[in-house]
Amino acid sequence: MEPRSRPNTRSGPDPLDFLAVDNQLSEDERAIGQAVRRYAAKELAPHVRDWYARGTFDRSIAPGLGRLGLLGMHLRGFGCSGTSAVAYGVACRELEAVDSGLRSFVSVQGSLAMFAIHRWGSEEHKEEWLPRMARGDVIGCFGLTEADAGSDPGSMRTSARRLGTDWVVNGSKMWITNGEIADIAVVWAATEQGIRGFVVPTTVPGFTTRAVRDKLSLRASVTSELFLDDVRLPADAMLPGAAGLRGPLSCLNEARYGILWGAVGAARACYDEALTFTTLRSQFGRPLASFQLTQRKLADLLIAVNSAALVALQIGRLKDNGGVHPTQISFGKLANVRAALDVARTARGMLGAAGVTLDYAVMRHMANLESVVTYEGTEEMHMLALGRQLTRISAFR
């Protein structure tokens, strides 16, 4: 295995923040990023290789993330930190620089399950669940996708019908992060009044899960199927504010926002590893970094990472100012994950055979990003969303 640090002999711009993007952050945003980076390096990075190799996720990290204020951090009240959108994005960036599975856990907890309750739930829902979820004492999952309803959630088969004052839910959900370890599930189901959301404690009779095994990506993350067999819920389990697809799609938009920042972290980590490796490894009597082709690749990675960072920051500022459009978030998710995948694939090649082992992070990031490019909207769906915005013509409806 190659040495993992290179001598700091450079002057001029920081190789990892060449355009000084972090200088544009507020003092609080910068402090949050630094705190998350330190915590992730100390508490998470030493274990992630083993979690990935074994295909496990350690639920016990949740309270630590809660103490750091990362769970639902961009939500206000009910024990949540109420930070800026940019601060939340910077935290996602630092978590995904370690592993996409860690950012995915925080995204699902805060931007899907907690956001759904915060935005669409009753006061009783918020008071009962959000403080405990913010502490990491209760873990949530988000049940929207089905085996035959991925990009087209309106075709879901999971249904809820009234039985007296109660609801009875039947159906199944697929590719659900946190499913097996969740204490509550926000489940979306078709009713006679349209699609509605329900808060489902995972201990209710008829609710079961099954792990998705043999994953080659996001292995340090729990992915599950959910099964609801005559799950009976009281009337107040329904999220009162969400009617139709507007509810779940608003949650997905929140999650996509975290993803477009997280991709910057994964890309930066791969670029950093390629720069370190090629600086320290010698062939033909000279460092790999001294060859013209290597320097061209490093320059390409530098541009991709810093361009993605600028995209993330701009979209974050738009979000904080209340002026971000869903298609701008689609732009960021599409552009930044695509860039991160290109960076990871190039960096993997620059490490040669060493790049396919877990001694280095590039292949792990590359495999994870193959999931990231698919979930919360595939490349194709984001392209069509942008095309529809530009032409005012829908290509998929």
Side-chain angles (χ1 to χ4, degrees):
M1 181 172 142
E2 297 292 330
R4 305 307 288 271
S5 61
R6 57 182 181 272
N8 184 12
T9 59
R10 296 180 178 85
S11 61
D14 179 352
L16 299 184
D17 186 17
F18 201 77
L19 297 181
V21 175
D22 278 8
N23 288 355
Q24 304 304 311
L25 303 178
S26 71
E27 185 176 340
D28 285 347
E29 290 161 352
R30 217 166 20 247
I32 287 170
Q34 291 166 355
V36 176
R37 186 181 295 198
R38 287 193 300 269
Y39 182 86
K42 180 181 179 182
E43 303 293 339
L44 305 175
H47 309 291
V48 74
R49 168 181 167 167
D50 181 57
W51 295 337
Y52 188 93
R54 293 190 292 115
T56 60
F57 176 84
D58 187 352
R59 178 193 166 118
S60 69
I61 71 171
L65 296 171
R67 286 190 294 272
L68 202 57
L70 300 184
L71 302 179
M73 64 184 288
H74 56 312
L75 306 178
R76 296 190 182 278
F78 306 99
C80 302
S81 302
T83 66
S84 70
V86 168
Y88 171 57
V90 170
C92 288
R93 182 187 71 185
E94 298 306 324
L95 289 170
E96 193 145 356
V98 177
D99 193 84
S100 299
L102 300 172
R103 194 269 312 142
S104 189
F105 172 79
V106 169
S107 286
V108 169
Q109 179 82 346
S111 288
L112 291 179
M114 292 178 71
F115 178 83
I117 294 170
H118 191 276
R119 176 67 179 84
W120 303 112
S122 65
E123 287 300 306
E124 292 75 16
H125 288 143
K126 298 172 191 178
E127 291 170 2
E128 179 177 4
W129 297 112
L130 292 179
R132 289 188 285 164
M133 295 176 80
R135 293 194 301 269
D137 296 337
V138 167
I139 292 175
C141 68
F142 187 84
L144 177 64
T145 299
E146 298 181 2
D148 296 319
S151 296
D152 181 16
S155 65
M156 71 174 64
R157 296 179 181 176
T158 298
S159 64
R161 60 182 174 84
R162 297 304 297 259
L163 185 63
T165 60
D166 290 346
W167 289 97
V168 178
V169 185
N170 282 280
S172 62
K173 301 294 181 178
M174 185 64 173
W175 308 116
I176 308 304
T177 299
N178 298 347
E180 282 182 282
I181 62 173
D183 302 293
I184 62 166
V186 175
V187 174
W188 301 90
T191 74
E192 290 184 354
Q193 295 78 40
I195 291 172
R196 305 303 297 256
F198 298 86
V199 179
V200 183
T202 58
T203 55
V204 297
F207 183 96
T208 57
T209 66
R210 181 170 63 201
V212 176
R213 303 292 183 192
D214 300 326
K215 290 186 298 178
L216 300 177
S217 176
L218 281 183
R219 290 179 53 77
S221 176
V222 171
T223 307
S224 309
E225 293 180 79
L226 310 182
F227 301 96
L228 299 99
D229 183 11
D230 285 336
V231 170
R232 188 161 182 167
L233 302 170
D236 61 8
M238 187 181 73
L239 298 173
L245 280 174
R246 178 169 172 249
L249 293 183
S250 69
C251 303
L252 294 181
N253 217 43
E254 289 294 305
R256 290 165 184 155
Y257 172 75
I259 288 170
L260 70 88
W261 276 92
V264 179
R268 187 191 71 202
C270 293
Y271 158 62
D272 185 21
E273 200 158 63
L275 180 59
T276 299
F277 185 92
T278 57
T279 300
L280 295 173
R281 171 137 174 123
S282 293
Q283 292 288 278
F284 305 103
R286 51 196 287 200
L288 287 175
S290 69
F291 292 96
Q292 290 181 358
L293 287 175
T294 300
Q295 292 196 5
R296 174 174 178 169
K297 290 176 184 178
L298 290 171
D300 285 342
L301 301 188
L302 170 70
I303 291 169
V305 171
N306 281 264
S307 297
L310 287 170
V311 167
L313 180 60
Q314 173 62 9
I315 292 174
R317 292 291 184 232
L318 290 172
K319 196 172 192 305
D320 277 325
N321 292 329
V324 72
H325 190 272
T327 55
Q328 290 172 317
I329 292 178
S330 284
F331 178 107
K333 200 268 186 180
L334 174 63
N336 282 9
V337 179
R338 177 190 286 172
L341 255 176
D342 288 343
V343 168
R345 289 165 177 162
T346 300
R348 206 294 307 158
M350 294 172 75
L351 268 67
V356 305
T357 74
L358 285 178
D359 287 341
Y360 294 88
V362 287
M363 187 85 170
R364 175 166 52 82
H365 280 299
M366 187 178 79
N368 285 338
L369 288 164
E370 291 290 352
S371 289
V372 177
V373 79
T374 298
Y375 66 29
E376 315 298 356
T378 63
E379 275 198 341
E380 292 82 358
M381 293 307 297
H382 288 298
M383 289 175 186
L384 293 177
L386 292 173
R388 180 175 60 184
Q389 182 65 26
L390 295 174
T391 65
R392 305 299 177 181
I393 302 169
S394 177
F396 54 91
R397 287 199 184 279

